[in-house]
Amino acid sequence: MATVTYDHATRTYPKTERAAVDRLTLDIDDGEFLVLVGPSGCGKSTSLRMLAGLEEVDWGTVWIGDRDVTRVPPKGRDVAMVFQSYALYPHMSVEDNIGFALRLAHVPKTEIRSRVAEAAKMLDLEEVIHRKPKALSGGQRQRVAMGRAIVRRPRVFLLDEPLSNLDAKLRVQTRTQIASLQRRLGVTTVYVTHDQVEAMTMGDRVAVLDRGILQQVDTPHRLYTHPANVFVAGFIGSPAMNIHHAPVVDGHAVLADHRVPLPRAAAGGDEIVLGFRPEALELVGGEDDGLAVTVQAVEELGSDAYIHGTLDDEGIVDRPDVIARIDPEQVPARGTRVRLRIKPDKLHLFAAATGERLEAA
């Protein structure tokens, strides 16, 4: 096992002006499960491939433990990578696929059989050990790819969107298995995904990237409750946070026909960005209390219900959407006009000019 360190690591592809990964500085603890997440093109896969040695580092360094591996070829880094495609050999059995890298390394046959059997038991593959990949389900193929990485006993696991080829139900099941397996093995793991729900449910910490720049790295809970900027606030959470620009008048943010009192530390300036999650809104009965919203759509999910609406204000040109989580026993009909109050302790404030988080005090 080992720590991993990116020290201002930068990668710029030929004939491009902007760095794919720009001065990434990140410390990953020994045995930690860290998830890199962000939209397509944010640099997360490039960051992983820089650690694997599959992409050059144009500037800065990458360390595994106390060793600078920036110029070390992939085979000398003692890492194991699981790809999105699994890349199994179709003519080989599960057993041969898992043990292939060990045979290339001239590991004794008895040890290969022992390691493969151990991995197959760990991954619940014992019953299919003699099957070919074409006879396996998507989840089983993914576990074979994991087994091939496990038997190598690397210092670091690297996983690049390994669940993207699975259906939704199997993806939920398999992500739980991977997280449980990683904790059992205790191997430092860097996991790439574009799915923020996957990131939040699997990682000890989550690193959010946008356009090659690290925006925030923290525990899933802290990312959700204390996003560092507007991008993180809008990206983390499902459904997404409601985010609206509002003018500041007499210490209040004016959103449609509603005035939101601001703490003194955030009341300066002419404009502010308000953020509030769907669960931070509650239905109220007063005609003048809260935001006036016209319900455009309703999602009933059994234990939860969400309304999607538009602010009732002719002065707002783009008619911004509002999403609110409500009691599934009190769902208003489409077209209904309701009032929603923002819970004061659930309001997030951001600077309009920079998008950076503003603290209340």
Side-chain angles (χ1 to χ4, degrees), residues 194-213:
H194 67 277
D195 184 337
Q196 55 94 16
V197 174
E198 203 170 284
M200 297 286 280
T201 54
M202 296 182 74
D204 297 322
R205 287 189 303 157
V206 178
V208 184
L209 290 94
D210 181 40
R211 291 175 292 182
I213 298 173

Side-chain angles (χ1 to χ4, degrees), residues 32-33 102 115 134 146 163 176 186 206 229 243 254 263 280 289-290 306 309 311 316 318 334 350:
E32 182 177 16
F33 193 128
L102 299 181
R115 287 203 208 177
K134 66 180 180 181
M146 285 289 297
L163 307 184
T176 303
V206 178
N229 54 43
I243 297 175
V254 182
D289 188 18
Y306 293 92
L311 290 173
I316 298 181
D318 57 355
R334 288 179 57 187
F350 304 95

Side-chain angles (χ1 to χ4, degrees), residues 11-13 16-22 41-43 210-213:
R11 173 59 172 153
T12 304
Y13 289 110
T16 60
E17 295 182 1
R18 181 172 59 84
V21 176
D22 191 356
C42 72
D210 181 40
R211 291 175 292 182
I213 298 173

Side-chain angles (χ1 to χ4, degrees), residues 140-160:
Q140 288 170 330
R141 292 176 189 174
Q142 192 275 335
R143 279 181 278 152
V144 173
M146 285 289 297
R148 191 169 51 192
I150 288 169
V151 295
R152 292 177 55 191
R153 297 176 181 170
R155 302 184 76 193
V156 182
F157 279 143
L158 309 177
L159 297 95
D160 191 4

Side-chain angles (χ1 to χ4, degrees), residues 48-68:
L48 193 76
R49 291 171 65 84
M50 290 163 72
L51 178 55
L54 302 176
E55 291 288 353
E56 294 181 11
V57 178
D58 299 314
W59 196 79
T61 56
V62 175
W63 295 72
I64 296 177
D66 57 1
R67 183 183 179 212
D68 182 353

Side-chain angles (χ1 to χ4, degrees), residues 63-356:
W63 295 72
I64 296 177
D66 57 1
R67 183 183 179 212
D68 182 353
V69 298
T70 310
R71 305 297 172 218
V72 175
K75 65 180 181 180
R77 298 194 180 197
D78 197 10
V79 301
M81 191 162 181
V82 178
F83 296 92
Q84 177 180 341
S85 63
Y86 312 146
L88 303 180
Y89 296 104
H91 62 288
M92 292 185 183
S93 66
V94 168
E95 183 177 26
D96 290 338
N97 264 286
I98 293 176
F100 183 70
L102 299 181
R103 289 199 302 277
L104 288 181
H106 303 294
V107 174
K109 290 183 179 180
T110 54
E111 186 176 349
I112 292 175
R113 283 196 296 269
S114 174
R115 287 203 208 177
V116 170
E118 181 184 11
K121 183 177 181 180
M122 194 179 296
L123 295 165
D124 195 23
L125 292 170
E126 292 173 296
E127 293 185 2
V128 297
I129 196 74
H130 299 300
R131 293 184 189 176
K132 302 285 180 64
K134 66 180 180 181
L136 304 178
S137 68
Q140 288 170 330
R141 292 176 189 174
Q142 192 275 335
R143 279 181 278 152
V144 173
M146 285 289 297
R148 191 169 51 192
I150 288 169
V151 295
R152 292 177 55 191
R153 297 176 181 170
R155 302 184 76 193
V156 182
F157 279 143
L158 309 177
L159 297 95
D160 191 4
E161 307 235 28
L163 307 184
S164 58
N165 290 334
L166 305 182
D167 62 51
K169 182 178 180 180
L170 190 56
R171 194 157 56 238
V172 172
Q173 176 186 335
T174 308
R175 77 187 185 205
T176 303
Q177 292 173 338
I178 290 176
S180 175
L181 177 65
Q182 190 275 337
R183 282 160 181 75
R184 204 155 70 239
L185 294 172
V187 179
T188 307
T189 300
V190 184
Y191 185 105
V192 161
T193 180
H194 67 277
D195 184 337
Q196 55 94 16
V197 174
E198 203 170 284
M200 297 286 280
T201 54
M202 296 182 74
D204 297 322
R205 287 189 303 157
V206 178
V208 184
L209 290 94
D210 181 40
R211 291 175 292 182
I213 298 173
L214 180 63
Q215 302 294 313
Q216 185 176 358
V217 56
D218 216 323
T219 64
H221 179 72
R222 286 283 301 178
L223 283 177
Y224 192 82
T225 59
H226 288 78
N229 54 43
V230 170
F231 175 81
V232 176
F235 187 80
I236 297 295
S238 181
M241 181 185 286
N242 300 288
I243 297 175
H244 300 289
H245 287 256
V248 176
V249 178
D250 296 331
H252 290 72
V254 182
L255 186 57
D257 64 345
H258 184 55
R259 291 165 62 89
V260 181
L262 298 174
R264 183 177 300 176
D270 298 325
E271 188 179 25
I272 198 167
V273 180
L274 303 179
F276 44 93
R277 297 201 180 276
E279 65 270 23
L281 293 166
E282 57 186 357
L283 285 168
V284 290
E287 182 58 31
D288 298 323
D289 188 18
L291 295 166
V293 174
T294 299
V295 179
Q296 302 294 343
V298 177
E299 292 181 326
E300 297 188 62
L301 306 176
S303 60
D304 282 318
Y306 293 92
I307 59 173
H308 297 249
T310 50
L311 290 173
D312 268 2
D313 184 26
E314 296 301 327
I316 298 181
V317 177
D318 57 355
R319 307 281 289 171
D321 288 331
V322 173
I323 304 174
R325 188 177 74 187
I326 60 170
D327 184 344
E329 301 297 327
Q330 299 178 345
V331 178
R334 288 179 57 187
T336 305
R337 188 173 183 269
V338 298
R339 285 277 179 177
L340 296 169
R341 186 178 75 90
I342 305 171
K343 299 175 185 177
D345 60 333
K346 300 295 184 181
L347 182 65
H348 299 266
L349 305 172
F350 304 95
T354 64
E356 296 299 306

